[in-house]
Amino acid sequence: MIERMRERVVAACDGASKGNPGPAGWAWVVADGSESPARWEAGPLGTATNNVAELTALERLLTAVAPDVPLEIRMDSQYAMKAVTTWLPGWKRKGWKTSAGKPVANQELVVRIDELLDGRSVEFRYVPAHQVDGDKLNDFADRAASQAAIVQQSAGSDLGSPEPPASPDTPRPKATKTPRPRSGNSSNNRTLKAKFPGRCVCGRAYAAGETIAKNPQGWGHPECRTAEAP
């Protein structure tokens, strides 16, 4: 008899620290078939670093999901992902020491995650944080972790908690104003440096610090504003 492999589950996890170190929290979310949040949990960590919060979120997610369920885990932490996929084998060979011979930071959490990953089918996927129209699962986990860090209370679907509010770190759409008639010296020609990464109406992303300009649909590349001018 051939055993049927269980269907892959998509999930995301995230950690937050307001001060790094500072009040911290963790969160994970598991999606339904349409990749919408179906089950989630978040919790406080007291005072901790962002790296501890990120690793704790991953450890709690792996603990919450049955080990025979294939997982795709979306994360915005390069550190946490590389720690368990790239650096971990070398740390183990060196007796949990870095290439510089120093003890591995957050070793207890990394060891626990290594144990939870043993024999499991897990695919890690990096997704950028705080993106306009970004990954909705990562955004949900980010908001839940941020709320847990701020209020230092547990929350989750099993507790009947409402959906977490917008994170202070997530860019919010700016209120639109009635466009003024264009002219050669109009203020519509003004450009500025983006405070947060975002996405232009053309579909291409722009980074924090990049020069952007206002167009009828919002902020974006200056050349896109020019292209749309009558």
Side-chain angles (χ1 to χ4, degrees):
M1 180 177 178
I2 300 175
E3 183 178 353
R4 186 178 177 182
M5 186 173 182
R6 298 188 67 173
E7 187 176 351
R8 184 189 64 169
V9 168
V10 179
C13 59
D14 204 1
S17 176
K18 307 302 180 180
N20 200 27
W26 55 270
W28 56 260
V29 56
V30 172
D32 59 17
S34 63
E35 295 197 3
S36 295
R39 186 165 65 99
W40 64 283
E41 186 180 3
L45 283 172
T47 299
T49 65
N50 191 65
N51 287 343
V52 167
E54 297 280 6
L55 289 172
T56 300
L58 176 57
E59 187 268 335
R60 298 298 173 90
L61 170 60
L62 292 171
T63 301
V65 177
D68 62 335
V69 175
L71 272 176
E72 176 188 309
I73 300 178
R74 300 177 184 177
M75 305 177 69
D76 61 31
S77 170
Q78 292 272 17
Y79 162 78
M81 185 178 296
K82 288 184 177 179
V84 299
T85 62
T86 304
W87 302 329
L88 193 149
W91 288 342
K92 291 172 72 174
R93 287 195 304 269
K94 295 179 175 66
W96 295 104
K97 296 291 180 64
T98 67
S99 56
K102 296 181 179 180
V104 171
N106 309 314
Q107 179 181 328
E108 185 175 340
L109 273 169
V110 176
V111 170
R112 172 61 178 158
I113 292 169
D114 183 39
E115 294 171 348
L116 289 167
L117 287 173
D118 186 38
R120 300 180 72 139
S121 174
V122 178
E123 176 188 351
F124 288 94
R125 177 181 165 193
Y126 173 75
V127 291
H130 312 308
Q131 297 290 305
V132 176
D133 298 326
D135 184 84
K136 59 185 179 182
L137 290 179
N138 175 255
D139 175 69
F140 191 102
D142 173 81
R143 290 187 283 121
S146 182
Q147 182 187 40
I150 293 170
V151 303
Q152 288 294 295
Q153 292 181 358
S154 298
S157 51
D158 289 349
L159 297 176
S161 305
E163 181 173 322
S167 166
D169 299 323
T170 302
R172 301 178 183 180
K174 295 182 179 180
T176 56
K177 297 180 181 179
T178 304
R180 298 178 180 179
R182 295 175 182 262
S183 66
N185 295 321
S186 168
S187 61
N188 286 332
N189 292 325
R190 181 172 64 96
T191 61
L192 50 78
K193 300 290 186 182
K195 290 185 178 180
F196 301 100
R199 191 170 298 276
C200 178
V201 67
C202 73
R204 292 181 293 126
Y206 57 82
E210 187 174 341
T211 299
I212 56 175
K214 185 82 171 187
N215 62 46
Q217 286 75 34
W219 291 94
H221 304 107
E223 61 269 24
C224 295
R225 173 200 61 190
T226 303
E228 292 178 356

